Amino acid sequence: MASQQSTDLKAVTSGYKVQPLRHPSRWVGAIVVLLLTLIAVNSMVTNPRFEWDVVAKYLFSTSILNGILNTINLTITSMVIGTVFGVLLAICRLSPNPIMSGAVGAYVWIFRATPTLVQLLFWYNLGALYPELGIGIPGGEMFFSMSANDVISPWTAALLGLSLHQAAYTAEIVRAGIVSVDSGQREAATALGMPPLMTLRRVILPQAMRAIIPPMGNEVISMMKTTSLVSIIAVPDLLNSAQTIYARTYQTIPLLIVATFWYLVLTAALTVLQGMLERRFGRGNTRTPSSSSSLIKWIQTRAGRNSTLTAVRTERKR
């Protein structure tokens, strides 16, 4: 009966040709995007005001390369300080002590509500509030003191402004990651006799990393771009190096193109690194198609063997 129905269906549909579904709007959109891209590229190549020869001249200059190294150094140092401090803040924010959690909440509110540029300028001009910084008894004699202008250099002000600002965002990201872990994990670790610090380090944080890595990767990229603000306090980063050159040569656009090119390169490298970390901490969370197909084949094989054994046992009983 089934073969007869299949034959009848083939006879009915033999005179018809299957046509794929057409999507003319996709082709129109692709053509428009391609035309706009060609127009933009042609404008950039043929416009002499871009001064591509000047861009090529300064692309690998010593000043620009030193600025790139300073940008990378500032990004890594600020992120390390901000991440470590942010993890501590997140743990304190989850504390049942209302004073500690409230103080951390106030810190996060202040540093997230204040623009980064304002914080950089504030730390750079800290000597106007406290001309002398030192250690001593409150209201009494100072054991050690020195000028604030000697302590708060432009580089120190940049580190303080960027890392303390980042710590507020990191605290919220880590707190959200810790909260996302099922409470049964903590209960199981406690039942096994693990102390709270070991539970956090060996059980909670490794599982929370799956939720922490993606936003933290975005924060690293954002930090790399935010370092351009330190040029306002004369820290020789990538943008400040480009500004120094075009302040002397008056070739503003080519030097800004050079800075943009290197920011794109650094962002691409950080994006690749973020993807590697996400795959590293996401292992075991997803099933690959090969493993799924292998499991299906194994189930089918077992089902076939069980049906064969059932049939053999039935024949023996008869």
Side-chain angles (χ1 to χ4, degrees):
M1 178 64 69
S3 61
Q4 182 64 31
Q5 291 178 353
S6 177
T7 304
D8 295 341
L9 181 61
K10 289 181 180 179
V12 171
T13 59
S14 59
Y16 296 92
K17 184 179 180 181
V18 178
Q19 294 290 343
L21 185 62
R22 302 182 185 278
H23 301 279
S25 59
R26 296 182 183 177
W27 287 102
V28 173
I31 293 173
V32 171
V33 171
L34 182 60
L35 287 176
L36 292 177
T37 304
L38 291 176
I39 293 172
V41 172
N42 179 69
S43 175
M44 294 173 62
V45 172
T46 58
N47 190 344
R49 294 182 180 86
F50 278 95
E51 300 182 76
W52 292 108
D53 56 335
V54 179
V55 174
K57 175 183 176 181
Y58 289 105
L59 193 61
F60 296 98
S61 65
T62 303
S63 178
I64 294 296
L65 294 179
N66 289 335
I68 294 172
L69 293 178
N70 289 334
T71 295
I72 295 174
N73 188 12
L74 192 59
T75 300
I76 295 175
T77 306
S78 299
M79 282 304 302
V80 169
I81 297 175
T83 301
V84 173
F85 191 34
V87 171
L88 295 177
L89 290 175
I91 296 173
C92 295
R93 184 73 185 275
L94 295 172
S95 172
N97 189 327
I99 297 178
M100 183 174 294
S101 61
V104 174
Y107 173 91
V108 171
W109 171 64
I110 291 173
F111 278 87
R112 288 203 305 174
T114 311
T116 310
L117 181 59
V118 174
Q119 297 181 34
L120 290 171
L121 293 173
F122 179 85
W123 289 110
Y124 184 69
N125 295 283
L126 186 64
L129 289 175
Y130 300 98
E132 296 287 332
L133 299 177
I135 301 175
I137 301 175
E141 183 180 358
M142 297 289 293
F143 302 126
F144 172 78
S145 65
M146 60 187 308
S147 174
N149 293 326
D150 295 334
V151 177
I152 308 297
S153 63
W155 186 266
T156 306
L159 283 179
L160 286 172
L162 294 176
S163 59
L164 294 180
H165 182 79
Q166 180 59 44
Y169 284 91
T170 302
E172 290 300 289
I173 293 173
V174 174
R175 182 183 66 84
I178 293 176
V179 171
S180 67
V181 179
D182 188 79
S183 59
Q185 301 291 323
R186 187 186 300 273
E187 295 172 359
T190 304
L192 292 174
M194 298 177 66
L197 185 60
M198 181 180 292
T199 301
L200 180 68
R201 183 172 58 89
R202 301 294 297 273
V203 178
I204 304 300
L205 284 181
Q207 298 182 67
M209 291 300 288
R210 294 174 180 172
I212 292 174
I213 288 296
M216 283 302 297
N218 294 331
E219 288 297 317
V220 174
I221 295 174
S222 178
M223 173 63 72
M224 187 272 297
K225 295 182 294 183
T226 306
T227 55
S228 60
L229 296 177
V230 302
S231 60
I232 201 70
I233 56 176
V235 175
D237 70 318
L238 174 57
L239 180 59
N240 182 264
S241 301
Q243 289 175 331
T244 302
I245 295 175
Y246 72 65
R248 184 180 70 253
T249 63
Y250 300 102
Q251 296 168 323
T252 305
I253 297 300
L255 269 301
L256 289 179
I257 292 175
V258 170
T260 301
F261 171 81
W262 284 114
Y263 278 122
L264 290 173
V265 171
L266 294 176
T267 301
L270 291 175
T271 302
V272 173
L273 181 61
Q274 177 185 352
M276 295 171 59
L277 289 175
E278 288 181 7
R279 288 191 296 270
R280 168 67 176 81
F281 286 98
R283 291 186 304 179
N285 195 33
T286 58
R287 293 184 303 174
T288 59
S290 59
S291 62
S292 301
S293 59
S294 300
L295 179 60
I296 292 173
K297 290 180 180 178
W298 180 82
I299 293 173
Q300 292 174 347
T301 303
R302 292 292 301 232
R305 290 178 180 176
N306 291 337
S307 61
T308 303
L309 290 175
T310 303
V312 170
R313 289 171 181 171
T314 305
E315 289 295 331
R316 288 180 177 176
K317 288 181 180 179
R318 290 180 181 178

